Each structure stands twice: as C-alpha cells, then as structure tokens.
Amino acid sequence: MPTPEEQLIVLAHRIPAAVTPVGDWLAEVADRVVLITSEEAAPGYAGMFRDVLPVSDYSGSDEVVDHLDRLCADHSVARIIHGTEDDILRIARVRDRHGIPGLSEADALVFRDKYAMKAAAQAGVATPAFLAPADGAQAAEFARLAGWPLVVKPRLGYGSRGVAVVEDTAGLTSQLRDRDPADVLLEAFVPGTVHHVDGFMRDGEVLLAVASRYINSCLSFADGESLGSVQLDEHDLLTKRLVAFAEQVVAVLPSTAFSPFHLEVFVQDDTDALVFCEIAARLGGGHIYETLAHSIGAGPVELWFRDQAGLSHTGPVASRTPGSYGFLLVPPRQGTLVEIGDLPLPDGVLQHSLPTTLPKAFDAATASTDTVASFLVHGADAGSVESALRRCALWSAAALRWSS
C-alpha cells in the first residue's frame, strides 16, 4: 500500500497561475500533485507539478470528473483540492464515490442548493419566505401569499446569473416558462441593503469574519451600474450584529473542515432586521478575496489550499489590519471601447485593471463577474473608502470612451 508520501494530491482549478500561484503554495508536495485545469490556464502551470491535465470546457463538460474518476481508480489519491463554486458539488460526489476525505455531497449540497441552504438556515436565523414550486399552480399560490415583487433564481446558480425580480403574474409565468422546473427557487423580495460577511469556519464555528456592505447590487450590475463593496469599520455596531449573525448561520449548517465562507445578508429598510440571503463554502467573488487578504494580512486562498493539501499554515490572524478596504467593478456597455482618457486615478487606489488592447468590443454584463474595469482601494475608515469608490465610478464614466 502506498505511503502517504506516495499518494497523489489532485487539484481541480481553472484560475490562471498569474492570479493564484499554486505552484509556490504547494511547493513541498508538487511532485505528488496532478493539476486538472482549463486549456487556457494550463501553459502557465507547465512544469510546476507531477502532471498537468488540460480540459477544453472546464466548467461545462464532464472532462474534469472523468479525469478525477480515472485518477482515483488507477492511483492512490489522498486528497482532492478545489477552489471555485463550479467544482464544489461535483468534486464532493467524486470524494463520496472513492472514499476520499473532505466535504461530502450531502453537506456540499447545503452550500450550493439554495433551497436546501435556506431550509437549513431557517433553523437559526430569519430567512425570506421561499418555495421550490412543483408547478405553476404552486408558484401562483406562493405569489398570492408572499406578495409582489418576487425573486426567481436557479437553485444551483452562482455569480447572480439567472436571478430576476418579477412584479406580476405575467412576469412570473414568463420566467417559469424559460427555466428548468427542477432548478427554480422563488423568494419573497426583501427591501433593504445587501451586506456580506467573509471569513473562515471550521467544525460549525466562525474563526474569523469581516463584514462589508455592497454599493449597488449584483442585480443592478446587469443594468449597467457599477458594483462595489466596502468593509465596515471593525467596531461598528452593525459589524458586530453581522458577525453574530454569521456565527448563528454557520452553527446550523453542516460542519466543515477549515473552509472560507461568503455570506450575504439583507438589512431591511424599515426595521434594520437581518435576513439571510445566501452562503457559500468558498471565497467571495469579485475582489472580495483581495480585500480580505489585505484586511487579515494573509492570503486566504493559499491558507485554504494548503489546508486541503494537508500542509501546515499560519491560519487567519485574530484581528484586522488598520483601516478599511473596498473594490469597484465597472460593467461593460454593449459596444466598443475605443479609448481610455489619460486622467489621474483617484486617491486611495491600490490596484486597478483596464483593457490593454483597444479598440475592444464588449457585450453588456450578464453576471456580476463581467467587468471592463476594476479598482481596489484603501482608506482610514469605511466612509473614506466609499467616497474613493464613488470617485472611481466617476473616473470610469469620464475616462472610458465608447462607440455603439
């Protein structure tokens, strides 16, 4: 039987090495690592691991799972490492089939299926009224009881894809007609601001949490508005409420090994009550992981990957670094970006990303990850960060020049 030092570690990961230098993070065990990645990312990982297996359609095909099943059948596999939402559930199923430790399918489903997620969360916190309708009659009855507007979303979606707010029966009927009946969730609309809490959990407890507020929303992003996020001040009363809420949510969900989490919470307009939206057993999208890294003084993805590989890590620090961090994502227009004006960036910008080759054609944003420009900012407190983000939005409106 192979010794632990001879067992494979399989890493399923589509993010390029320029963003996630996994070769450095897993250097001690690189000779045991087999990486499954996209054809686009594969060249950047060449020579770093025992083997690199590129697939042509990473997220949309069975190629990743086929490679995993073959490796587990032909070799002794100690661990399977994952990092993105599209891998969580399918890799959990592979673990179950081959008896590999880690998040099981039953537990992973609670962090992916929004119906199962809300059913579990309501044992500890307030949730919107919700239903997975069996047919149009059930949907109509739910609408009668919950009132308008309603939120329609895929149970297994992510990145705000496929989320719609409907105002009447005609809108609801239209949405249901175009969706897979087995992948539909209806929710009562919660008027309020959306906040998120990001950090690490283990064995049903929150190890570290940083609370933030979205500027605009993932839904308004598809309408052409920038999406931003600003970390709340550590001693803000709302920060303490949101962290306590996160602790209540994590306590009633399936227990995990060391794992990041991304929790979204409504703060109701009229009462300031906290209402559960969603939680994921992964890092948040956009530039949330970067703001979290600055805030805790450690790389959250590196911590997570090393733990999944069975390697030691320092773990997240107990307290935040001074100040607040935030980010802004600017959605593309439908058209061609022809020029970027030579304007000075606003104060507080730590990093920014812009297209380097112009002119460049874009489609309008369909998800909260579709961007033409992004900014990472730092300030003394949440107020100064929010002001800097709004200046970044004004900068983008003035500097990005489009033709239809």
Side-chain angles (χ1 to χ4, degrees):
M1 181 169 180
T3 66
E5 292 73 21
E6 295 170 329
Q7 292 181 300
L8 293 186
I9 298 171
V10 182
L11 169 60
H13 188 58
R14 59 177 167 79
I15 308 300
V19 179
T20 52
V22 186
D24 295 335
W25 298 346
L26 304 181
E28 303 101 304
V29 291
D31 60 339
R32 297 168 50 202
V33 172
V34 175
L35 170 67
I36 305 170
T37 191
S38 67
E39 287 184 345
E40 296 79 11
Y45 288 108
M48 292 185 182
F49 301 115
R50 172 170 172 159
D51 202 0
V52 176
L53 305 176
V55 298
S56 58
D57 183 4
Y58 185 92
S59 298
S61 75
D62 294 329
E63 291 179 90
V64 171
V65 171
D66 290 344
H67 277 307
L68 287 167
D69 281 332
R70 177 182 57 78
L71 289 167
C72 290
D74 294 347
H75 303 273
S76 178
V77 175
R79 297 169 181 269
I80 304 175
I81 304 172
H82 72 275
T84 54
E85 188 87 346
D86 48 353
D87 278 326
I88 291 175
L89 196 53
R90 61 183 180 178
I91 286 179
R93 291 170 179 149
V94 173
R95 290 193 187 105
D96 285 356
R97 282 199 293 273
H98 299 280
I100 295 171
L103 197 63
S104 68
E105 179 183 4
D107 290 348
L109 198 63
V110 178
F111 291 98
R112 284 288 288 115
D113 181 338
K114 294 173 177 57
Y115 178 81
M117 182 188 299
K118 285 185 168 60
Q122 68 182 354
V125 296
T127 67
F130 64 95
L131 176 74
D135 51 37
Q138 278 196 0
E141 177 63 9
F142 178 79
R144 185 185 70 80
L145 296 173
W148 305 102
L150 285 183
V151 180
V152 187
K153 61 176 65 174
R155 291 172 58 165
L156 296 174
Y158 57 93
S160 302
R161 293 176 176 85
V163 180
V165 178
V166 296
E167 303 286 346
D168 51 33
T169 300
L172 177 59
T173 301
S174 175
Q175 285 291 329
L176 295 178
R177 183 188 307 119
D178 298 332
R179 295 173 184 262
D180 177 358
D183 189 29
V184 174
L185 183 70
L186 304 181
E187 291 179 13
F189 181 81
V190 179
T193 55
V194 185
H195 292 65
H196 58 98
V197 186
D198 300 272
F200 287 92
M201 59 185 175
R202 182 176 58 213
D203 298 331
E205 295 185 355
V206 171
L207 304 178
L208 176 140
V210 177
S212 305
R213 180 181 70 254
Y214 284 119
I215 299 172
N216 297 329
S217 73
C218 296
L219 294 180
S220 61
F221 190 82
D223 295 327
E225 295 185 37
S226 295
L227 172 65
S229 170
V230 55
Q231 292 175 344
L232 302 182
D233 297 325
E234 189 171 8
H235 302 295
D236 189 306
L237 176 59
L238 181 55
T239 296
K240 298 180 184 300
R241 292 179 62 209
L242 287 165
V243 170
F245 190 90
E247 292 170 344
Q248 291 174 287
V249 171
V250 169
V252 297
L253 297 186
S255 180
T256 68
F258 180 82
S259 172
F261 70 88
H262 172 66
L263 167 68
E264 296 187 344
V265 184
F266 299 110
V267 180
Q268 284 188 287
D269 283 339
D270 52 351
T271 65
D272 280 341
L274 304 184
V275 180
F276 177 83
C277 178
E278 297 176 3
I279 189 171
R282 56 159 174 82
L283 291 156
H287 290 305
I288 289 174
Y289 80 93
E290 292 160 308
T291 57
L292 184 62
H294 282 289
S295 184
I296 67 175
V301 186
E302 180 179 1
L303 295 178
W304 187 26
F305 278 25
R306 286 183 62 81
D307 188 87
Q308 290 185 79
L311 301 173
S312 63
H313 58 81
T314 58
V317 297
S319 60
R320 286 167 51 175
T321 57
S324 174
Y325 295 86
F327 68 87
L328 188 77
L329 306 178
V330 180
R333 298 182 187 179
Q334 180 75 43
T336 300
L337 180 63
V338 295
E339 185 182 9
I340 301 175
D342 186 17
L343 303 177
L345 290 169
D347 292 340
V349 175
L350 296 179
Q351 301 172 23
H352 71 286
S353 176
L354 295 165
T356 56
T357 302
L358 297 178
K360 184 173 182 180
F362 287 89
D363 293 323
T366 59
S368 57
T369 51
D370 298 331
T371 63
V372 66
S374 64
F375 303 86
L376 180 69
V377 306
H378 177 250
D381 52 31
S384 62
V385 169
E386 184 166 354
S387 295
L389 294 176
R390 297 196 183 283
R391 290 194 298 272
C392 289
L394 293 173
W395 184 94
S396 299
L400 304 182
R401 295 160 191 171
W402 299 83
S403 68
S404 57

